[in-house]
Amino acid sequence: MKKLKANNLRAIVILGVVLVIAVGYFNLVGIGNLSDFGWGLISTICPLGFVETLLASKLLIPRAVISFFAVVAIVIVLGRVFCAWVCPVPLLQRWFPGSRKQQEKRIAEALPDAEALPAATEALPDAEALPAVDLLDEPSGDLPVQAALMPAETKLKLKSAAKPKLKGAAKPNNFKLDSRHVVLGGALLSTAIFGFPVFCLVCPVGLTFASVLFLMRLFAFGETTWTILVFPLVLVLELVFFRKWCKTICPLGALMSLISGLNKTFRPSIDNSRCIKTAQGVNCSACSAVCAENIDIRNPKTSQSSLNNCTKCRNCSDICPAHAISFPFLKGKQKTED
Amino acid sequence: MGAAEESSALSRRSFAFAAGGAAVMLGLGTLKFVPTRPICRPPGGQDEDSFLGACLRCERCREICPQNVIVPAHLEQGILNVRTPTMNFKEGWCDFCEEANAGIPLCEGVCPTKALRLVPDFKPEEVVIGKAVINRNWCLGWLLKGCKKCFEVCPYEAIEMEQLEGLGNYNNSDYQRPHVIEDKCNGCGLCENRCPSMMNSSLTEGATDRAITVHAVTIQGD
C-alpha cells in the first residue's frame, strides 16, 4: 500500500501541539490549552466552548468574541484544518489496533488493479497538451461510464442519493445535516438549560489534555487523584465505542463544518487530465475510500458528505495513483470540473 | 432544502447517534444537581453559578499564577468541578499579585471568558476566597503549645490571640489561643500555607492536614 506521507506529518504536528501545551502547563506564561490558547490578550478560543459559555453565562466578553472571530477567520481560510492537524483525537484513534487494517482494506478495494495501474499511469497524457474539457463527455459525477465501473454497493447508494438532487441546485459545498449537528444542538440546549458548558465534561480533546496534565502533576508533585484513571478510561471508552467519533458525534467538528461552508481556499481539486478515472476510465475510487470524512471528491454532487467537511488532511492527494489531487489556494480555471 | 429532505438525509444509524448523543448531552446537564461541597476559587470566581457557566477549563489562570496556589480541581471535588481552578494553599497563597503585578490578580486578567471577574476598584478584603477555620484538635496554639504562626503572618489581622485568664503570667504567650475573626478573613490562605502542622510530619496526634484551613463559602448571585 502507498505510504500516506501526510499522515506522519500530521502526527508530528499534533504531537508538537501537545508538547507545547504540556510545557506551557509548567511555566508562568499562561498559554493555556486548546480551550483557549494564546499569549496575553491574543488568543484563539474553542468555538464550541465560546458558544457554550455565552449561553451559560449570558455574558458577551469582547475579548472572547475577538478570539472567536479569529477562529472563524481561520476556519474560513483553512477549513476544518483543526480536525486533521491539531486535534489529538484522530491520532489516538489511529493508534487503536484494527483501525488501520479496516482502512487499508477499503483503500485496496478502491485502488485500480495492479496490472491496470502501470499502463494507466504510463499512458498519462501530457496535462499541458490535453485540455481537461476534452476528456469529459459529461460533467463528472453523473457519468454513466463511471457508474458502471463502481462497485455495486456504491452504485446503489449513488442511485438513491442522486435522484432527487440531480435537478436541485445541489452545490458541492452544500450543508448536509448529520448526527453531529444534532449532538451539537443537544449540547447547546443542555448548556442553556443547566447553565454550564456541558460538552466540556466529556470533550475528548479536553480529556486528553487533562490526562496529560494530571499525569504530569502526578510525577511532579505526587498529586494522586482518581481523575488520572477515570479520564483516560472515559476517553478510551468514547473512542472504542464510537470508532467514528469525529464523523458521527463530535459537536465541535459540527460547529466548524457550519462555518467551513464559507471556505473556498485550499479545497481539494482534481486535475481531470491526470485522474486515471476521468482520463482513461480506469476503475479507481481511492480518493473517496481514503477520506476519513466520507467525501467523494470525484463525485461531489452525490458524495455522502459535503466538501465543507474536508479537514485538509491530504490523504486523498497522497493516495492518488496519478497524483491528480492538489490543494490550490484558489481553484484554477483549467482544473475546474463543472 | 425542506425539513423533510434534511431529515431523510439522516440514515437510521446516524439517527441513533444523533438522538443518543443529544440525549446524553441533556443527561449530562443534570449532573449539576449532584450535591458538591463548595471549593475555593481564584479571586473573582466567587459567584459559583456564573463561574461554572463561564469557565472554559483552559488552565491559563493556573499557569500564570506566580504563587502556584491555583491547581486543577479533581474528580473527588465534584464532577462539574474537574479541571476547573481551585486553590491549594499548601502550594502557595493569594496575595492578589501584590508582588508580581501591583495588586492586580494576573489570573483574573488572563481569564478569556471572565469566569474570574473583579470590579475595577476591588479591595482584597472584600474578595472572600474562603474563611479560615482552626482545627482545635491539631492546632498547637490551641493546645497551648505556644505556636502563633498564623497570627503573626496574617496580612489582614484576621486572627486574634485570646489570653486565657487564670493560667499564669499575663505576658506568657503560651497561654494564648488563636481565633479567626470571620469578618476580617478573606481566605487568602497565608495562615494555612505557613501552619507548621503537617508541613513535614505530623506534629499532633491524628493530624492529617494543616491545623488552620481555608474553606469556601457559598455566595449566590451578585
Side-chain angles (χ1 to χ4, degrees):
Chain A
M1 202 196 109
K2 274 185 71 136
K3 200 104 184 106
L4 298 174
K5 280 180 293 175
N7 252 354
N8 297 332
L9 191 60
R10 281 202 314 276
I12 293 167
V13 172
I14 291 164
L15 289 175
V17 170
V18 174
L19 188 72
V20 167
I21 288 171
V23 169
Y25 276 157
F26 282 88
N27 64 36
L28 295 178
V29 180
I31 57 170
N33 54 30
L34 292 180
S35 301
D36 190 87
F37 182 82
W39 187 77
L41 296 178
I42 301 155
S43 69
T44 56
I45 197 168
C46 166
L48 180 56
F50 168 77
V51 178
E52 279 186 312
T53 53
L54 188 65
L55 284 173
S57 68
K58 293 167 190 74
L59 271 176
L60 202 62
I61 308 298
R63 208 179 105 201
V65 174
I66 293 168
S67 297
F68 174 71
F69 278 108
V71 172
V72 168
I74 292 170
V75 175
I76 290 174
V77 175
L78 297 173
R80 279 178 55 200
V81 74
F82 171 85
C83 297
W85 293 86
V86 181
C87 179
V89 174
L91 188 62
L92 292 173
Q93 278 173 324
R94 257 172 63 202
W95 287 340
F96 274 22
S99 71
R100 232 182 269 195
K101 229 176 217 169
Q102 229 180 348
Q103 200 203 23
E104 277 171 22
K105 198 177 152 212
R106 212 152 27 91
I107 295 163
E109 279 169 10
L111 274 168
D113 295 333
E115 61 259 35
L117 188 57
T121 38
E122 265 166 44
L124 205 66
D126 191 11
E128 305 290 313
L130 268 170
V133 203
D134 289 354
L135 296 164
L136 291 167
D137 308 313
E138 281 178 61
S140 67
D142 315 319
L143 277 175
V145 186
Q146 274 177 13
L149 286 165
M150 277 176 194
E153 221 184 273
T154 330
K155 204 164 33 169
L156 208 74
K157 225 183 273 168
L158 185 124
K159 224 183 203 170
S160 57
K163 241 183 203 165
K165 283 185 187 151
L166 270 177
K167 276 178 192 165
K171 281 179 211 146
N173 231 21
N174 245 8
F175 168 73
K176 278 184 186 133
L177 184 81
D178 62 48
S179 50
R180 286 176 295 194
H181 299 108
V182 183
V183 178
L184 172 65
L188 296 184
L189 180 66
S190 183
T191 298
I193 295 173
F194 297 105
F196 74 99
V198 173
F199 183 71
C200 296
L201 282 184
V202 290
C203 171
V205 187
L207 291 178
T208 307
F209 282 100
S211 299
V212 171
L213 172 68
F214 283 116
L215 190 69
M216 287 169 79
R217 291 186 73 86
L218 175 71
F219 282 98
F221 312 120
E223 192 177 293
T224 49
T225 161
W226 285 106
T227 325
I228 202 160
L229 295 178
V230 174
F231 269 25
L233 185 72
V234 174
L235 183 63
V236 167
L237 288 178
E238 283 177 355
L239 301 184
V240 166
F241 282 107
F242 303 100
R243 277 294 174 86
K244 301 193 166 95
W245 175 278
C246 308
K247 217 161 34 179
T248 52
I249 306 285
C250 184
L252 176 56
L255 183 62
M256 286 197 269
S257 81
L258 295 179
I259 306 165
S260 66
L262 297 169
N263 169 248
K264 301 278 178 251
T265 44
F266 303 111
R267 279 162 51 173
S269 159
I270 305 180
D271 182 347
N272 281 330
S273 61
R274 299 185 77 146
C275 173
I276 53 173
K277 187 169 190 176
T278 45
Q280 293 160 65
V282 177
N283 186 10
C284 175
S285 54
C287 52
S288 109
V290 81
C291 181
E293 285 289 331
N294 280 355
I295 305 166
D296 185 355
I297 57 167
R298 181 68 280 171
N299 308 291
K301 284 188 180 174
T302 56
S303 172
Q304 198 184 332
S305 176
S306 53
L307 201 56
N308 60 346
N309 283 323
C310 176
T311 63
K312 325 286 182 199
C313 77
R314 302 190 70 93
N315 275 353
C316 55
S317 169
D318 276 357
I319 203 79
C320 178
H323 308 289
I325 301 170
S326 58
F327 287 77
F329 176 64
L330 278 170
K331 214 168 170 181
K333 263 268 153 61
Q334 68 272 41
K335 284 178 185 173
T336 314
E337 289 164 49
D338 44 16
Chain B
M1 248 199 267
E5 202 184 329
E6 263 179 18
S7 57
S8 74
L10 283 177
S11 73
R12 202 169 301 170
R13 197 180 153 81
S14 58
F15 180 77
F17 279 126
V24 166
M25 286 304 138
L26 286 168
L28 282 174
T30 61
L31 287 175
K32 181 145 200 185
F33 304 116
V34 175
T36 40
R37 295 219 338 249
I39 57 175
C40 292
R41 300 296 187 187
Q46 275 59 50
D47 181 347
E48 186 66 11
D49 267 356
S50 68
F51 173 81
L52 268 185
C55 178
L56 273 177
R57 294 133 165 95
C58 73
E59 304 284 342
R60 293 187 71 181
C61 56
R62 182 187 60 72
E63 286 172 19
I64 209 157
C65 175
Q67 296 278 354
N68 288 322
V69 59
I70 306 178
V71 296
H74 297 163
L75 200 56
E76 291 85 341
Q77 288 165 294
I79 293 176
L80 255 59
N81 290 335
V82 198
R83 292 163 60 202
T84 58
T86 185
M87 309 294 263
N88 183 343
F89 296 114
K90 278 147 210 87
E91 306 281 336
W93 66 290
C94 182
D95 68 345
F96 292 81
C97 289
E98 191 59 58
E99 214 174 292
N101 198 33
I104 301 155
L106 287 164
C107 54
E108 194 259 0
V110 84
C111 180
T113 52
K114 289 283 157 274
L116 304 175
R117 195 155 40 114
L118 293 165
V119 288
D121 50 351
F122 79 95
K123 289 187 186 72
E125 305 86 62
E126 290 162 5
V127 181
V128 181
I129 296 168
K131 295 280 178 197
V133 176
I134 293 171
N135 183 313
R136 293 177 176 183
N137 293 320
W138 303 339
C139 173
L140 292 173
W142 191 269
L143 296 171
L144 303 177
K145 300 276 168 68
C147 175
K148 42 180 175 176
K149 193 78 194 171
C150 51
F151 168 74
E152 286 163 6
V153 296
C154 180
Y156 302 98
E157 294 176 355
I159 292 174
E160 58 183 355
M161 297 306 287
E162 175 203 9
Q163 183 68 47
L164 298 182
E165 281 173 40
L167 282 168
N169 193 332
Y170 196 77
N171 296 320
N172 190 341
S173 63
D174 284 1
Y175 292 107
Q176 291 181 341
R177 276 176 172 164
H179 286 270
V180 176
I181 308 166
E182 287 233 354
D183 288 345
K184 285 188 176 176
C185 176
N186 70 349
C188 76
L190 186 56
C191 53
E192 181 176 337
N193 184 259
R194 298 293 154 84
C195 174
S197 174
M198 289 304 289
M199 216 177 235
N200 294 309
S201 60
S202 172
L203 290 172
T204 27
E205 209 186 322
T208 54
D209 202 348
R210 302 283 158 92
I212 184 164
T213 47
V214 177
H215 296 263
V217 283
T218 26
I219 305 166
Q220 296 295 333
D222 280 310

